[in-house]
Amino acid sequence: PLARKLIAAAGVPLAAPSANRFGHISPTIPEHVLEDLHHWAGLRILDGGPCTVGIESTVVKLDFNSGHARLHLLRQGGVPREKLQNFLTESFQRGALEAPLELVSARSAGASTPVVVDETQAQQAPGMLLKHYAPAVSTVLLSPGTLQSSGKIIPGSLKKSVLIDFAGKQSSRHGLFMRIFDLCNEDCSSELSGTAEDACTRVFAVLRAAEAFALEEKADLICIADFDPEDLGGYAEALHDRLFRS
């Protein structure tokens, strides 16, 4: 609503880039914007409150070049793949579409690694580079079964590392790290507590909190508890995409 009011008040076309430094952790509250862009003279921030979904929008591309229409899912986001697929199916069944529209995901079935675009190539959608949404401290995904990242031994000392957990999945290892953050809300009374949707509302705020602590305490590394998004469904693919690129 606030953005619509701004557009109406401006009366001219507006350019709307992300309100953060390129490649850095996305902002979800006004304070995050100020942290990244405070050096800009004359900066004004419209406070519309915290982002309700917590992650960026879903980006799709309608393709007619393959002989029949396809909808390519380029970036996972606030509309999960399952919800988008259900909408397309229901739209065809009620006659809103003349023919079924195939949804093609950039993430191949069963693959846990998001598609990465080389820096020298043009991106079809934002957020497709290997490093994006990234803290200013070296960050790795921590494998569920071993103290490794992508099959490699984690560099540095865990005692000088920060762990970002997901609903306490790495609780048995908490004592190995200098500080623990969790993507999920500690309020167990919420029906979303411990879910990927809950984590999405907090992921960027938690990444920023972990980054601030790591910089202040001179930590060597931020470790993020990895998980298989295929097992969780819903917002899990979008959440994993953001953590993978951080």
Side-chain angles (χ1 to χ4, degrees), residues 132-190:
H132 209 73
Y133 321 108
V137 177
S138 295
T139 305
V140 299
L141 283 175
L142 181 64
S143 301
T146 61
L147 290 175
Q148 295 183 340
S149 173
S150 300
K152 300 178 181 179
I153 301 298
I154 293 176
S157 168
L158 294 183
K159 282 296 183 182
K160 290 288 291 179
S161 300
V162 175
L163 174 66
I164 298 178
D165 205 352
F166 176 25
K169 296 183 185 302
Q170 296 273 359
S171 58
S172 63
R173 298 172 175 170
H174 284 185
L176 301 176
F177 296 87
M178 64 188 302
R179 177 71 186 272
I180 308 298
F181 295 86
D182 201 296
L183 294 171
C184 292
N185 199 325
E186 296 180 356
D187 180 11
C188 296
S189 63
S190 170

Side-chain angles (χ1 to χ4, degrees), residues 62-218:
L62 188 57
D63 177 20
F64 294 98
N65 296 324
S66 57
H68 64 280
R70 289 182 173 182
L71 197 65
H72 291 266
L73 180 52
L74 300 179
R75 181 177 74 179
Q76 301 277 359
V79 180
R81 176 164 52 89
E82 294 94 332
K83 188 173 183 179
L84 188 56
Q85 181 64 72
N86 291 339
F87 175 78
L88 293 175
T89 301
E90 292 169 3
S91 296
F92 173 67
Q93 291 173 344
R94 68 171 186 267
L97 294 174
E98 295 181 357
L101 188 59
E102 181 184 3
L103 178 63
V104 181
S105 177
R107 182 197 295 265
S108 58
S112 60
T113 302
V115 172
V116 174
V117 175
D118 189 89
E119 292 183 2
T120 61
Q121 299 176 328
Q123 297 182 73
Q124 295 188 72
M128 297 185 73
L129 296 176
L130 174 60
K131 188 173 182 180
H132 209 73
Y133 321 108
V137 177
S138 295
T139 305
V140 299
L141 283 175
L142 181 64
S143 301
T146 61
L147 290 175
Q148 295 183 340
S149 173
S150 300
K152 300 178 181 179
I153 301 298
I154 293 176
S157 168
L158 294 183
K159 282 296 183 182
K160 290 288 291 179
S161 300
V162 175
L163 174 66
I164 298 178
D165 205 352
F166 176 25
K169 296 183 185 302
Q170 296 273 359
S171 58
S172 63
R173 298 172 175 170
H174 284 185
L176 301 176
F177 296 87
M178 64 188 302
R179 177 71 186 272
I180 308 298
F181 295 86
D182 201 296
L183 294 171
C184 292
N185 199 325
E186 296 180 356
D187 180 11
C188 296
S189 63
S190 170
E191 63 181 28
L192 295 179
S193 180
T195 65
E197 186 173 355
D198 175 26
C200 281
T201 65
R202 293 165 42 85
V203 58
F204 291 134
V206 172
L207 280 170
R208 283 179 176 267
E211 174 191 55
F213 176 86
L215 290 173
E216 177 69 23
E217 300 298 324
K218 296 181 173 55

Side-chain angles (χ1 to χ4, degrees), residues 5-16:
K5 291 180 180 179
L6 173 62
I7 294 170
V12 295
L14 296 178

